[in-house]
Amino acid sequence: MFKTITIIGFGLIGSSIARKIRRVAPDIHIVCYDHSEDVCRKVIDLNLADSVSSDPAVVGGSNLVILAVPVGAMPGIVQSILPHLTENTIITDVGSVKEQVVYDIELVLPNDIAFVAGHPIAGTEFSGPEAGFAELFENRLWILTPTAQTPALAIQHVQEFCENLGANVKIMPPDIHDRTLAMTSHLPQLISYMMIHAADRLGQDLHHDVISCSANGFHGFARIAASDPVMWRDVYLTNKDHVLEAIDRFQNTLSQMRHMVENGDGQGMHDFFSASRARHLKHLESRKS
Ligand code: NAP
């Protein structure tokens, strides 16, 4: 369907897409555009693309352009590639925030270029072209957030593309995506950074390495604190209102829990933990089917 695909930003997500395309559709010509000479060199060494450049003009002739850079960089990149795009090119993205990005990009888009915003719900805490792997999207959700302006045929083509990468596509409005992901992704990431910070401060007060005395529970929280700070800074700058809502909801729950612990409310805690446990087990069960 797409003969030439440009991936802009060849990090974890961009290089994983390229690896999977190489595996399932080796005839597709993959173009890499990354502003980092170092990343371009690695893409050549890893043989992940057929053309590699740090010049935006390289997008010329592509049927599909995938933005896989931090969300704050996307509007500027779209402005810089627009003069080089051919008629009927489809642009999609993989950014973790949708409403602001969709607004900024649709504002500058000419009529003959379609934008289908997307977000694969898959990732790791690692960055860069070496971190990617072809199986990353296997059976994972890939959310598309088209608007009234998005042509139906472009949505269909991008949906088929994501499914060919192994993902299950779900369509939802950009604001619902952002409100949902603020709770399921952006808040947990904040908590992870905060857990490390709080444990380290305790270590300074106690004059010993508190973090080294941690087991699986802490590691489960802390793992994603290894994630790229630029990517996450952009998420909180572009999804501010929904993240604030998630923080407020969490803060209310935390206050409720603090109250139970302070008052030795064992029954309250037991009921709370049992309800959360049951909800989590139901979720795990639904993932099996
Ligand atoms: P990454 O591994 O850091 O890769 C991003 C790549 O884009 C890097 O090679 C970076 O180069 C390059 N880049 C940055 N600004 C650029 C620009 N202006 N022009 C050209 N290239 C540029 O990041 P990632 O984890 O793949 O994330 C990419 C996107 O996917 C983000 O929008 C993120 O929100 C989204 N996402 C991430 C995950 C995840 O778990 N990581 C999951 C789903 C979606 P430099 O490093 O040299 O700046």
Side-chain angles (χ1 to χ4, degrees), residues 8-15 33-39 67-74 77 93-97 119-129 131 136-137 227-228 230-232 235:
I8 303 184
F10 243 81
L12 168 73
I13 302 293
S15 73
Y33 163 42
D34 197 290
H35 69 169
S36 156
E37 298 284 350
D38 186 40
V39 170
L67 307 171
V69 295
V71 286
M74 288 181 184
I77 289 181
D93 80 306
V94 297
S96 306
V97 179
H119 178 203
I121 310 301
T124 73
E125 65 275 32
F126 303 113
S127 305
L136 179 62
F137 311 110
S227 303
D228 182 47
V230 173
M231 173 191 143
W232 284 105
V235 167

Side-chain angles (χ1 to χ4, degrees), residues 42-139:
K42 285 177 185 157
V43 171
I44 293 169
D45 289 348
L46 294 165
N47 189 26
L48 293 177
D50 303 295
S51 320
V52 181
S53 177
S54 48
D55 178 352
V58 77
V59 299
S62 293
N63 315 105
L64 178 70
V65 173
I66 303 170
L67 307 171
V69 295
V71 286
M74 288 181 184
I77 289 181
V78 170
Q79 293 269 16
S80 71
I81 61 171
L82 277 184
H84 310 289
L85 293 178
T86 349
E87 209 182 341
N88 296 328
T89 302
I90 297 174
I91 304 177
T92 187
D93 80 306
V94 297
S96 306
V97 179
K98 300 273 56 94
E99 212 174 359
Q100 183 71 48
V101 171
V102 169
Y103 178 82
D104 288 341
I105 292 180
E106 285 192 342
L107 209 58
V108 296
L109 219 56
N111 287 335
D112 58 346
I113 306 290
F115 176 54
V116 185
H119 178 203
I121 310 301
T124 73
E125 65 275 32
F126 303 113
S127 305
E130 305 98 325
F133 52 101
E135 301 79 14
L136 179 62
F137 311 110
E138 213 60 56
N139 287 321

Side-chain angles (χ1 to χ4, degrees), residues 138-249:
E138 213 60 56
N139 287 321
R140 305 305 294 269
L141 204 59
W142 196 308
I143 298 174
L144 298 181
T145 62
T147 66
Q149 204 174 305
T150 321
L153 195 59
I155 302 170
Q156 188 191 320
H157 285 331
V158 173
Q159 171 157 1
E160 281 169 20
F161 173 74
C162 299
E163 286 168 352
N164 286 338
L165 297 181
N168 303 316
V169 170
K170 191 175 175 113
I171 293 183
M172 64 175 73
D175 60 322
I176 299 295
H177 166 279
D178 287 359
R179 214 171 158 195
T180 304
L181 271 291
M183 181 60 79
T184 60
S185 168
H186 309 168
L187 179 65
Q189 182 69 40
L190 268 191
I191 294 172
S192 176
Y193 286 133
M194 286 159 51
M195 287 288 294
I196 299 280
H197 179 84
D200 194 43
R201 290 294 290 268
L202 177 64
Q204 287 169 25
D205 291 348
L206 295 178
H207 303 292
H208 90 113
D209 188 356
V210 165
I211 292 176
S212 71
C213 301
S214 56
N216 280 348
F218 186 87
H219 288 297
F221 270 116
R223 179 182 59 79
I224 51 175
S227 303
D228 182 47
V230 173
M231 173 191 143
W232 284 105
R233 174 205 64 194
D234 283 7
V235 167
Y236 300 115
L237 289 175
T238 49
N239 198 24
K240 178 174 151 185
D241 291 344
H242 298 314
V243 170
L244 289 177
E245 183 200 347
I247 290 174
D248 289 346
R249 283 177 180 270

